[in-house]
Amino acid sequence: MAACSTTYFEAGRGFAARAAERNNELLAQQSRRRRGACTPEVYFSKHFDNTRLVKAPDPARVREMRLFSAAITILFSLIMVYGLQHFSAIENGYRVESEKQVRDQLREENRQLRLSEAQLSQPGRIDKCPASWVLPSRSPARWSIPPTA
């Protein structure tokens, strides 16, 4: 009757699970009763001499390990080649950008040199330009005093 009674906490488990647990408890109690209450358990260490053992060759495993090593080597090589290409592409991008900056700098310098060449080759042109750029002089009548508020 005690084995079939259900407590509040055991309600979620099935009958078979509760019966199996109870059977395991009873089996453990029986084995303890047979040995006696205070039977000491003594373990003796055994020393094995394995120096004379020789590992048998396994050609299938050796073949598998060679195949695995070859596959890993090929994979590593492919990853290294990809990394080399990737980083060289990045390096080329930086090099192209610096070349563009040098090109722009040289273009600006070339423009400045052409302007100075044009100024030196035609000095009369230099005298005409400022005359056309002269601003009208400011007469005192055009000056105005801001009103004070």
Side-chain angles (χ1 to χ4, degrees):
M1 179 82 176
C4 295
S5 65
T6 304
T7 64
Y8 174 75
F9 297 108
E10 294 178 341
R13 295 187 310 171
F15 178 75
R18 285 181 283 148
E21 184 180 339
R22 177 71 177 154
N23 288 340
N24 287 336
E25 290 175 5
L26 288 175
L27 185 64
Q29 287 176 0
Q30 288 174 1
S31 64
R32 280 194 298 258
R33 286 185 194 138
R34 269 187 252 140
R35 280 189 280 158
C38 297
T39 305
E41 295 185 11
V42 179
Y43 296 103
F44 295 99
S45 61
K46 246 184 195 178
H47 298 287
F48 293 102
D49 184 22
N50 289 338
T51 57
R52 294 182 302 261
L53 294 178
V54 178
K55 188 174 180 183
D58 187 8
R61 187 171 187 280
V62 170
R63 189 179 324 110
E64 286 176 1
M65 290 305 294
R66 283 184 184 158
L67 188 67
F68 179 73
S69 298
I72 293 298
T73 303
I74 290 171
L75 180 67
F76 179 75
S77 300
L78 289 174
I79 290 173
M80 287 294 118
V81 167
Y82 170 76
L84 176 69
Q85 288 179 347
H86 178 71
F87 290 121
S88 66
I90 291 173
E91 183 181 357
N92 286 339
Y94 283 122
R95 191 173 342 114
V96 164
E97 189 63 32
S98 68
E99 295 287 334
K100 283 181 181 179
Q101 289 177 354
V102 168
R103 183 195 63 191
D104 292 342
Q105 182 182 3
L106 288 174
R107 279 186 179 170
E108 180 62 28
E109 187 178 333
N110 191 15
R111 189 182 72 80
Q112 292 293 332
L113 289 173
R114 282 185 184 167
L115 285 175
S116 66
E117 180 187 14
Q119 287 175 353
L120 294 174
S121 65
Q122 300 173 355
R125 186 178 137 204
I126 297 173
D127 293 335
K128 284 191 235 174
C129 291
S132 65
W133 294 341
V134 172
L135 297 174
S137 63
R138 297 187 70 167
S139 64
R142 292 180 63 194
W143 290 25
S144 63
I145 300 174
T148 57

